Amino acid sequence: MAFLSRDGGSSDGVKMVIAIRNTTDLWRSNLPVPSPEGHKYHRGHTAILGANEFTGATRLAAEACSRIGSGLVSVLSETQAQVYRTALPPDIMVSERGLSALNRVNTILAGPGGCADDQAKMLLDSDPSVSLVVDADAIRLWPQLSGRDVIMTPHEGEFVRYFGHLDGDLLEQVGTASEQSGAVIVLKRPQTIIAAPDGRIIVNHSASRYLAKGGTGDVLAGMIAGFVAQGMKEIPAACAAVWMHSVASERIGPGLLPQDIIPLVRPLLHELLS
C-alpha cells in the first residue's frame, strides 16, 4: 500500500509515504522459540513498574507479558506490593525493593495504570542497555530517553498530548514523531500504525470494534514487552503483538473484556509456531 503525503521531498512537492500491511509474513520467522537447553533467563526478565493507583492496568500488562512468554515477570511497587501479591498469578514476582534487587532484567515496561514520579525516576535511572516499552503517561519522558531502545504505545489523545500537532497526514505525523524521538511508535487506533525511526511504517488493518475498551492497551503493552524480553527486535515485536491482539479481539467480539484476550494468546502462538 502506498499513501501520498502532503509535504515536500520531490520535485512536484509531493512525497510518497509507503505503508506496509501488517501480515504474519513480516515477523513470523522472528517469533521466539525456547531452546531445549534453555532456562528462564534465556527467555528474558521483564520488570513492570507497578502503578500506585490503577493497579488493574499493571495486572493486565503483567499477565499478558507472562503469557506471551517472558521467562520472568516482576512487578515493582513500594506502595502496592501487597495488592499485587494478592491479585497477581503466582508465576509473577512482586518486589518493593526496586530494580537493583532483580536479576538480569533486560526489559522494562512503564506506564500501564500510571507513571508517578517514583516510577519515572526508576525508569530514567535504569541501565541504558535495558529495552523499554513505554505506555500512557510514561510517554511524557520521551525527550529523556534518547539513544535507548524504546517502543512507545500511545493512543491518539496521548500522541497529540506528548508530541503536539505535527505537520502532514497521520502517517507522516507518526513517522516524524518516531524520527524525532528515536523510538518505535505504536499509535493505537482502529487501524494501528507502527513507525520506526528509519522511516518504516506498518499499518494493521484488522481489529474488532469491541477492542475500544479500557485495559486493552495495557494487555497490548504487556504482549509487546514480553516479545522484546525474549529477544525480538522492536518492529517485529510490535507488529506481532498488534496482529495477535487484533485477531484475538475479532475472535472474542461482542462482550469483550481486556482479560479475555490473554487466554487466546496460547492458541494463537500454537497456530503461528506450528
Side-chain angles (χ1 to χ4, degrees):
M1 295 177 299
F3 297 85
L4 286 175
S5 78
R6 296 190 292 247
D7 123 24
S10 67
S11 58
D12 59 2
V14 177
K15 178 176 63 178
M16 186 72 77
V17 177
I18 304 297
I20 303 167
R21 183 184 292 271
N22 186 19
T23 69
T24 58
D25 292 339
L26 293 179
W27 43 263
R28 188 170 184 168
S29 63
N30 301 114
L31 288 173
V33 179
S35 165
E37 293 80 30
H39 54 68
K40 59 190 176 186
Y41 288 110
H42 289 152
R43 302 184 70 183
H45 185 178
T46 306
I48 301 178
L49 308 188
N52 294 338
E53 185 174 0
F54 300 110
T55 57
T58 300
R59 290 164 50 201
L60 287 167
E63 292 188 44
C65 184
S66 186
R67 177 65 72 184
I68 209 79
S70 181
L72 282 171
V73 178
S74 295
V75 171
L76 305 181
S77 176
E78 287 188 21
T79 63
Q80 299 289 1
Q82 193 54 42
V83 170
Y84 288 121
R85 286 194 180 98
T86 302
L88 281 167
D91 60 288
I92 296 171
M93 299 188 298
V94 177
S95 175
E96 53 273 275
R97 292 185 294 165
L99 283 167
S100 60
L102 302 182
N103 294 321
R104 305 192 210 180
V105 171
N106 67 340
T107 305
I108 297 172
L109 170 59
C115 182
D117 289 345
D118 53 337
Q119 286 100 38
K121 185 178 187 307
M122 197 182 305
L123 180 67
L124 296 174
D125 290 345
S126 63
D127 184 340
S129 67
V130 172
S131 298
L132 306 178
V133 179
V134 182
D135 186 42
D137 66 334
I139 298 168
R140 73 183 189 276
L141 303 170
W142 74 262
Q144 301 170 71
L145 300 175
S146 176
R148 299 192 61 166
D149 293 330
V150 183
I151 300 174
M152 301 184 186
T153 58
H155 57 58
E156 291 180 280
E158 291 164 342
F159 181 81
V160 173
R161 185 180 311 143
Y162 299 122
F163 291 100
H165 294 278
L166 302 174
D167 293 334
D169 61 25
L170 191 56
L171 289 176
E172 289 178 88
Q173 292 174 40
V174 181
T176 298
S178 179
E179 183 179 359
Q180 288 179 351
S181 64
V184 168
I185 293 183
V186 179
L187 180 63
K188 298 177 291 191
R189 58 189 307 276
Q191 294 188 339
T192 292
I193 300 171
I194 302 156
D198 62 9
R200 285 176 291 168
I201 296 179
I202 299 99
V203 178
N204 195 81
H205 280 264
S206 64
S208 166
R209 68 189 68 184
Y210 299 101
L211 198 56
K213 189 169 180 63
T216 57
D218 304 308
V219 173
L220 177 61
M223 292 169 67
I224 294 172
F227 273 144
V228 172
Q230 294 174 84
M232 287 186 82
K233 296 297 185 183
E234 286 80 10
I235 282 288
C239 290
V242 167
W243 186 92
M244 292 178 67
H245 188 258
S246 65
V247 169
S249 75
E250 290 178 323
R251 293 186 182 182
I252 297 164
L256 179 150
L257 292 175
Q259 54 267 40
D260 296 337
I261 297 169
I262 299 170
L264 288 188
V265 167
R266 183 164 54 187
L268 281 169
L269 284 172
H270 274 283
E271 293 170 25
L272 290 164
L273 293 171
S274 63

